[in-house]
Amino acid sequence: KQWYQRRVAITAGIIIQRVGSRLFFDKRDDSDFDLLTVNETANELPGGDGGSNSLTKLSLEATYINQNFSQQCLKREAKTYKRPNPFANEEDDNEPSSVAYRYRKIPLLGPGAEPLTLICRCEVDAVTTSANGEEKYMNIKALNEWDLKGGASEWRQKLDTQRGDILTTEMKNNKCKLAKWTVSSILAGSDLLKFGYVTRSMPRSSGESIGHSILGTQEFIPKQFAAQISLDMNNAWGILRVIVDRCMQLKDGKYVLYKEPGKGILRIYKVPLNTFEEDNDDSDEEEEGK
């Protein structure tokens, strides 16, 4: 996510733990890291008029749309794997969204540098079958139209005839988000990246909530789409290698990697080992005291 964040005014910290010769990168449990940004690289950030177009509500709306769109694209006959969903909670009645996790081992090379190995958990949203019967992994994402000028959807009128122009505008305004999706697809080894075009359905009365309509879909090969949005994976791997090399110089402990909003500056802060775990510790103490 950091590759295109020089112009992004929204940021989130990443937790880093150095344990011997290993580094662990993770997110805070209570962070907004997984919430999608909207128009994060546009000339003007949204949210000026408040209401349903506030920055927070737009982020929640985009995240909600993506979660539901990815599930709507699936057939009822699920492909199952030997191992269960690692995040499924038997005590929770709500079934987790259908998604597959791939744990991939990737070498991190650098000129004259010690070879390192990256192990990452990647998401795959679907499996599809090609014309020759070959199974292909797919990631599914949704682009959403929210700025309805005069209450009318421009995408409804132009998507069939000017889809390229609409996608070009999305590339300009959401470059960070599209780069994140593309990198995630490449890391997961997905063969296809599917985009859905979703727009708002304005309520007919003041008591109704905003609905959404799927206007169309489009598929890309992730590496080809990376070239289309000028995403240089060699540069991306180089940035990651620089961050890893810098973190390998740190002493054992816990740190936070933080990017200053709107600036191309990354800072690393050392924090106590129990940082971000206080809530869990308090709840454990309460249970022991009962």
Side-chain angles (χ1 to χ4, degrees):
K1 189 175 180 179
Q2 301 288 347
W3 324 145
Y4 277 104
Q5 280 201 330
R6 177 174 292 275
R7 295 179 56 222
V8 179
I10 306 165
T11 188
I14 298 175
I15 300 174
I16 302 172
Q17 281 193 264
R18 171 79 191 269
V19 182
S21 60
R22 295 172 293 176
L23 290 173
F24 297 89
F25 292 82
D26 202 355
K27 61 183 180 181
R28 291 175 55 181
D29 291 337
D30 59 346
S31 73
D32 296 336
F33 192 85
D34 288 327
L35 291 181
L36 295 176
T37 52
V38 177
N39 280 33
E40 73 276 7
T41 51
N43 293 329
E44 294 184 10
L45 285 176
D49 58 350
S52 60
N53 288 342
S54 68
L55 204 59
T56 300
K57 289 188 176 180
L58 284 174
S59 180
L60 291 171
E61 180 185 15
T63 305
Y64 170 83
I65 289 172
N66 266 266
Q67 289 175 344
N68 284 273
F69 175 72
S70 66
Q71 298 304 296
Q72 288 179 327
C73 291
L74 303 178
K75 293 183 178 180
R76 291 185 179 274
E77 300 80 15
K79 180 178 176 62
T80 57
Y81 293 89
K82 294 180 180 179
R83 295 181 177 85
N85 189 324
F87 301 105
N89 187 351
E90 296 180 356
E91 300 178 356
D92 191 348
D93 295 333
N94 298 320
E95 184 178 347
S97 299
S98 181
V99 65
Y101 296 98
R102 301 186 73 194
Y103 293 81
R104 307 200 70 203
K105 187 176 180 180
I106 303 170
L108 280 181
L109 305 177
E114 179 184 357
L116 299 173
T117 300
L118 168 69
I119 298 177
C120 60
R121 184 184 69 237
C122 309
E123 291 186 5
V124 175
D125 295 310
V127 174
T128 186
T129 305
S130 62
N132 60 4
E134 181 184 0
E135 284 192 346
K136 292 183 177 295
Y137 291 117
M138 175 187 290
N139 282 75
I140 303 173
K141 306 299 177 183
L143 299 167
N144 63 294
E145 181 188 31
W146 57 272
D147 188 14
L148 304 186
K149 297 177 175 60
S153 168
E154 184 177 354
W155 286 14
R156 288 184 187 272
Q157 303 171 9
K158 298 182 178 180
L159 187 63
D160 289 337
T161 58
Q162 302 179 40
R163 183 167 304 193
D165 293 341
I166 292 175
L167 182 58
T168 298
T169 301
E170 290 299 299
M171 290 178 182
K172 174 186 174 184
N173 294 336
N174 295 283
K175 202 167 188 178
C176 176
K177 180 165 64 179
L178 286 169
K180 175 184 175 182
W181 288 344
T182 307
V183 170
S184 297
S185 299
I186 293 174
L187 283 177
S190 294
D191 304 285
L192 296 169
L193 176 58
K194 182 172 189 167
F195 291 130
Y197 294 89
V198 180
T199 189
R200 285 179 175 178
S201 299
M202 299 307 295
R204 298 177 182 178
S205 64
S206 58
E208 295 182 5
S209 59
I210 296 176
H212 299 90
S213 300
I214 302 172
L215 302 180
T217 61
Q218 193 171 7
E219 294 181 4
F220 296 91
I221 297 173
K223 289 185 179 180
Q224 293 181 0
F225 188 72
Q228 192 169 337
I229 63 174
S230 300
L231 171 62
D232 186 348
M233 285 302 298
N234 289 329
N235 184 51
W237 285 118
I239 293 172
L240 178 60
R241 178 71 204 223
V242 169
I243 294 174
V244 169
D245 287 344
R246 176 66 185 88
C247 293
M248 290 300 291
Q249 299 173 12
L250 303 172
K251 296 181 180 179
D252 281 19
K254 179 180 285 190
Y255 303 83
V256 174
L257 177 67
Y258 180 81
K259 178 194 171 294
E260 293 195 8
K263 298 180 181 180
I265 299 176
L266 290 173
R267 300 188 185 278
I268 300 176
Y269 298 94
K270 183 176 177 58
V271 296
L273 287 175
N274 63 346
T275 305
F276 312 127
E277 299 176 2
E278 295 178 356
D279 292 340
N280 293 334
D281 293 342
D282 292 342
S283 62
D284 291 341
E285 290 176 2
E286 291 177 2
E287 291 179 1
E288 292 174 0
K290 291 182 180 179

